[in-house]
Amino acid sequence: YFQISLQCAVNGVPCRGKVLTVDNMNPNVKRVEYAVRGPIVQRAVQIEKELREGVKKPFTEVIKANIGDAHAMGQKPITFLRQVLALCSYPELLEDNKFPEDAKKRAQRILGACGGHSIGAYSASQGIECVRQDVARYIEKRDGGIPSNPDNIYLSTGASDAIVTMLKLLVCGEGRDRTGVMISIPQYPLYSAALADLGAVQISYYLDEEKCWSLDVAELRRALNAARQHCNPRVLCIINPGNPTGQVQSRQCIEDVIRFAKEEHLFLMADEVYQDNVYAEGCKFHSFKKVLFEMGPEYSSTVEMASFHSTSKCYMGECGFRGGYMEVINMDPEVKTQLTKLVSVRLCPPVPGQALLDLVVNPPQPDEPSYITFMKERTAVLSALAEKARLTEQTFNAVPGITCNPVQGAMYTFPRITLPEKAIDKAKEEGKVPDMYYCMRLLEEEGICLVPGSGFGQREGTFHFRMTILPPTEKLKVVLQKIRDFHVRFTQEFS
Amino acid sequence: MNAALSTRGGSQEKMTENGMMSRAKVLTIDTINPTVKKVEYAVRGPIVQRAVELERELSQGMKKPFAEVIKANIGDAHAMGQQPITFFRQVLALCSYPELLSDNTFPEDAKSRACRILQSCGGHSMGAYSASQGIDSVREDVARYIERRDGGVPCDPDDIYLTTGASDGIVTMLKLLVCGEGASRTGVMISIPQYPLYSAALAELGAVQINYYLNEEKCWSLDIPELQRALDEARQYCNPRALCIINPGNPTGQVQSRKCIEDVIQFAAKERLFLMADEVYQDNVYADGCQFHSFKKVLFEMGPEYSDTVELASFHSTSKCYMGECGFRGGYMELINMDDEVKAQLTKLVSVRLCPPVPGQALMDLVVNPPQPGEPSYDNFIKERTATLSALAEKAKLTEQVLNTVQGISCNPVQGAMYSFPRITIPEKAVKEATEKGQQPDMFYCMKMLEETGICLVPGSGFGQKDGTYHFRMTILPPSDKLKILLDKVKEFHQKFTQQYS
């Protein structure tokens, strides 16, 4: 701007600022934050560039333990899934003997459902019909036979897309009638970002760190009642298994939440993208849908709910494909029509992602050629994650000043860190939130990129970080050790 | 049940027939986001829903006056039989399942493209998230493509954002631009007729749509006095800040002259408007004497007074041109002269959705970095590309010719894109019957055509048109022989319809 105004002054031309500036852009967008790819990650990327340019650092690589990106950390894709995708991309390969019959069959079924038998055609906006049918069958199998109507399934561009779409539908009202949406603290910051973007009111309910991040209905009630004074609460979001906390809610808890949603007339949003990532003894994934229906018609025919799933997590880790779906339960038919209309504007979710989802819900069966390898690969990924979850918890709990709840599920650890007063003061001097200051120091000194707890929310006066458990076991051991050493050093420096 | 007695937020109690108290749902048509209700998208609207129903009835064995439904409503080339480009699909297969890199059936150039793409992916897998702005090496390739296309005008990869189809980039830009309340609410100029993504996005964002009419008599050309008229009027009730133009046009197919593009740029500069240039059909140019001129190129050729100041976003996609890869949702936008702080906000905004689909990014890389002369796949690639584009050119001509032989249909030349948007004369009696039925006359017309011939088109009312005129949009995508039949049926229907309501 300065150069242009200088130029204008020289030319004697009246000077004007840009059409689009931070002062006249969409104000909601300015309020959006997304810590998982926020300032610390931008610095990490910069450091990687410096390393490539030969700048000397105390480390030789940056370890990006900030994001749940399994393949980036070395996890291998499932062979069967990629074979079918290759066959769908280039159907000439259907003649190739290298591919097993079950892969070819799946590919042909998918292609048969595509316009012009090509994954390059737009699909129906709600998603390819036979994929939605397969998703419905998968849900029925998972939930012990409880019926799922394919018409209630909407395929989406990752689970994020569907979550944002549902929130968009739900937001209305002005001032004190503005829609309020309940979300956990800590939460996955897609929720806070979406609520900021939509100008909805975020209603935070605290998970109980002392009780392994469990959800407490009394706390839900407290948050709701407080919120009723300044907004119109209409939605309750829950992430199970949890992100960033990893807790796997008990069946009792899920029932309590459903009961609460019914009593308080709230639309339930159940983010279940980590449903296969359950590690701890005694923990089990209970889908909200299943529990809802087992509570009988008083609940199952009234509670309005949307459940979300994705191809990005679990054992697949196929983040880049942007595959996902939501199942809507008890949605008003007129609203459903509006939803269908809304998703039609963006035409359709990416078809490769839809194909991938089809394979996830319709994997090789015991009598099929790819079954053994599939099970071997799936088991290897999930058991490696379980091992790394345990290792992480153990290692962190041995560090004075770090306490780590069991990583019951998902793919993250969210340990609490004690920061010395002097460090907190230093952070404030630098205009940084204390756990951001801590994480930045860790990044600069060890090349390890984590996300500060402030990016997810935490109780006042407490500090955390979120680290993924995704690096390969040997590397993870090294990372854990470095964090341990850093924490001890840091504590000493500010003692 | 105390909470249920509150009347806030739709918790009203309802008395059912048997005297039981039941509650209204949390989410109803009255409590849904009001801007969502205002959204319409005709390309997949009511007529298409009816077409899908008819297809179902046909597959269930119901007897109809036709054997199949022809979906000429949407620019979906592969669905209408167009073949994918072999090279692209080979590379995508290699990227999906890299074991194929040891397979002799794949040419070396496909393998080397695949290796380059995979190197840029986390863990060398397409399953990893990419950078939110898009894979670095792909953005670099896009920048090089733009430089080549625009005769050397420099392009900075940092100004390139890969997107989930062009629609994603367009909606994101509009979102950034919208602010203000009441008379200072952002106004956005868009052509009539327009591609209804724009009207839908503006409705959803609660922005003000400012219509400027293209000139049907002059082959849908854009007229600066008309832009001025629309703008001056709009200034009374909103704050106009953006000007959107689709070139080549959708639904109209016009390819704007270079002079016109200069005039638009000058207008945008003078009136301080952010320019949005939707150029997804840039390879689809058929008419003699027509040429695609990118807004970026023209802007820079107008000298620094313009190229240093006019804020511009240009959009492209993998869905159209000769690729037709709609399902991959590949696209990009290039931003010119965007304020640095705004750019930081944009980067932050796109990070929330993590990244565009990686297969689509890979595909875009191939589109901007296709086989070169001397490479093994070159001949075949050019052959396939030429075949697709020349078939489209032929079908564009055929469509214009046939429709212009029909009394009551007049069709401007299909200069580019993939649609014809002919004007139809609808008899007064038909207009009356439509109005009685609460239908737009051209919707009434198209619905009848669908029920009687199985041909699904989109009524002009879905795109916008001058009051009292009627149109439909039909794609030129069906294979030539099928298109001929289609055009004859349309002709036949129109004649019958006109007679019926004479």
Side-chain angles (χ1 to χ4, degrees), chain B residues 415-458:
Chain B
Q415 293 180 337
M418 17 182 91
Y419 315 96
S420 78
F421 195 67
R423 181 160 167 188
I424 51 176
T425 308
I426 298 183
E428 267 313 303
K429 280 195 184 162
V431 174
K432 201 154 163 279
E433 190 174 319
T435 313
E436 273 163 31
K437 287 204 166 128
Q439 259 181 344
Q440 292 286 342
D442 48 19
M443 173 62 92
F444 176 72
Y445 174 97
C446 289
M447 278 293 198
K448 273 205 161 249
M449 186 186 301
L450 174 61
E451 302 283 346
E452 290 175 26
T453 68
I455 298 167
C456 180
L457 312 176
V458 190

Side-chain angles (χ1 to χ4, degrees), chain A residues 17-19 24 32 37 71 82 89 98 118 120 123 168 176 197 234 262 304 319-320 330 341 351, chain B residues 8 23 25-26 39 44 78 89 96 103 125 127 130 175 204 241 272 311 326-327 337 348 358:
Chain A
K18 288 197 184 276
V19 175
N24 64 20
V32 166
R37 283 213 153 163
H71 292 196
R82 293 308 192 86
S89 300
K98 251 201 286 344
S118 164
S123 76
K168 184 182 288 190
R176 291 189 63 223
D197 191 353
R234 302 179 66 213
K262 181 171 159 66
E304 291 149 73
C319 310
N330 294 320
K341 179 188 72 174
V351 175
Chain B
R8 284 184 84 197
R23 276 203 298 197
K25 287 188 184 280
V26 177
V39 166
R44 281 210 154 164
H78 291 197
R89 294 309 192 84
S96 300
D103 186 325
S125 164
S130 76
K175 181 184 285 192
E204 200 195 301
R241 302 180 66 213
R272 290 186 45 74
E311 291 149 71
C326 309
N337 294 321
K348 180 190 72 173
V358 174

Side-chain angles (χ1 to χ4, degrees), chain A residues 4 7 16-22 24-27 29-30 32-34 37 67-69 71-72 79 82-83 85-86 88-90 93 96 98-99 115-116 118-125 129 157 160-161 166 168-172 176-177 188 190 193 197 228 231-232 234 262-267 304 312-313 317-322 330 332 334-335 338 341-342 344-352, chain B residues 3 8-11 23-29 31-34 36-41 44 56 74-76 78-79 86 89-90 92-93 95-97 100 103 106 122-123 125-132 164 167-168 171 173 175-179 195 197 200 204 241 269-270 272-274 308 311 319-320 324-329 337-339 341-342 345 348-349 351-359:
Chain A
I4 292 172
Q7 195 162 35
R16 294 189 296 189
K18 288 197 184 276
V19 175
L20 182 57
T21 70
V22 266
N24 64 20
M25 66 175 278
N26 186 328
V29 171
K30 283 194 283 191
V32 166
E33 295 302 332
Y34 182 67
R37 283 213 153 163
I67 186 168
D69 190 348
H71 292 196
T79 302
R82 293 308 192 86
Q83 286 176 331
L85 286 166
C88 288
S89 300
Y90 190 52
L93 292 170
D96 189 324
K98 251 201 286 344
F99 290 90
S118 164
I119 53 173
Y122 288 123
S123 76
S125 300
E129 215 179 309
T157 306
S160 298
D161 176 29
M166 267 321 305
K168 184 182 288 190
L169 277 183
L170 282 156
V171 172
C172 71
R176 291 189 63 223
D177 285 323
Y188 172 54
L190 164 70
D197 191 353
R228 282 218 156 99
C231 71
N232 179 16
R234 302 179 66 213
K262 181 171 159 66
E263 276 166 15
E264 303 293 349
H265 211 231
L266 301 169
F267 190 105
E304 291 149 73
S312 303
K313 313 298 176 189
E318 296 282 10
C319 310
F321 280 83
R322 315 314 285 113
N330 294 320
D332 179 288
E334 281 183 297
V335 171
Q338 291 291 321
K341 179 188 72 174
L342 184 63
S344 79
V345 180
R346 300 296 293 274
L347 290 148
C348 71
V351 175
Chain B
R8 284 184 84 197
S11 311
R23 276 203 298 197
K25 287 188 184 280
V26 177
L27 185 56
T28 69
I29 199 76
T31 62
I32 194 180
N33 185 329
V36 169
K37 282 195 284 194
K38 297 206 253 285
V39 166
E40 296 301 334
Y41 183 68
R44 281 210 154 164
R56 201 163 286 161
I74 186 170
D76 189 349
H78 291 197
T86 302
R89 294 309 192 84
Q90 287 176 330
L92 286 164
C95 287
S96 300
Y97 189 51
L100 292 170
D103 186 325
F106 289 89
S125 164
M126 283 212 296
Y129 288 121
S130 76
S132 300
T164 306
S167 299
D168 177 28
V171 169
M173 266 321 305
K175 181 184 285 192
L176 277 183
L177 281 156
V178 172
C179 72
Y195 172 53
L197 165 70
E204 200 195 301
R241 302 180 66 213
K270 179 176 124 224
R272 290 186 45 74
L273 301 168
F274 191 106
D308 282 345
E311 291 149 71
S319 303
K320 314 297 177 187
E325 298 281 11
C326 309
F328 278 81
R329 316 315 285 112
N337 294 321
M338 181 177 268
D339 177 281
E341 284 182 87
V342 172
Q345 290 290 324
K348 180 190 72 173
L349 184 63
S351 80
V352 179
R353 299 296 295 273
L354 289 149
C355 70
V358 174

Side-chain angles (χ1 to χ4, degrees), chain A residues 390-412:
Chain A
R390 259 191 304 273
L391 173 70
T392 300
E393 180 199 340
Q394 277 167 16
T395 309
F396 279 147
N397 276 325
V399 184
I402 301 186
T403 57
C404 184
N405 267 320
V407 177
Q408 293 179 338
M411 20 183 89
Y412 315 97

Side-chain angles (χ1 to χ4, degrees), chain A residues 132-158:
Chain A
R132 292 188 292 109
Q133 286 162 5
D134 290 351
V135 169
R137 299 296 82 82
Y138 160 83
I139 292 172
E140 286 177 350
K141 282 198 304 273
R142 181 198 67 191
D143 294 346
I146 292 165
S148 172
N149 184 348
D151 222 45
N152 289 334
I153 307 295
Y154 285 75
L155 305 190
S156 54
T157 306

Side-chain angles (χ1 to χ4, degrees), chain B residues 58-189:
Chain B
L58 272 173
S59 69
Q60 286 163 358
M62 259 182 87
K63 214 173 183 307
K64 299 275 171 198
F66 46 85
E68 67 168 327
V69 172
I70 299 176
K71 301 253 213 34
N73 58 295
I74 186 170
D76 189 349
H78 291 197
M80 301 310 287
Q82 183 177 303
Q83 294 306 300
I85 299 291
T86 302
F87 182 74
F88 294 167
R89 294 309 192 84
Q90 287 176 330
V91 179
L92 286 164
L94 289 162
C95 287
S96 300
Y97 189 51
E99 275 79 343
L100 292 170
L101 287 164
S102 45
D103 186 325
N104 292 336
T105 51
F106 289 89
E108 280 314 304
D109 49 2
K111 291 183 178 183
S112 91
R113 293 287 194 296
C115 286
R116 183 156 182 277
I117 290 166
L118 288 173
Q119 294 286 10
S120 315
C121 295
H124 297 201
S125 164
M126 283 212 296
Y129 288 121
S130 76
S132 300
Q133 202 173 329
I135 296 170
D136 258 8
S137 67
V138 178
R139 293 188 294 110
E140 282 159 16
D141 289 350
V142 168
R144 298 297 82 82
Y145 161 82
I146 291 171
E147 286 176 349
R148 280 195 312 268
R149 180 197 69 189
D150 294 345
V153 174
C155 177
D156 184 352
D158 223 46
D159 291 337
I160 306 295
Y161 285 72
L162 304 189
T163 55
T164 306
S167 299
D168 177 28
I170 290 164
V171 169
T172 299
M173 266 321 305
L174 288 174
K175 181 184 285 192
L176 277 183
L177 281 156
V178 172
C179 72
E181 308 283 331
S184 14
R185 191 68 174 165
T186 297
V188 176
M189 302 184 73

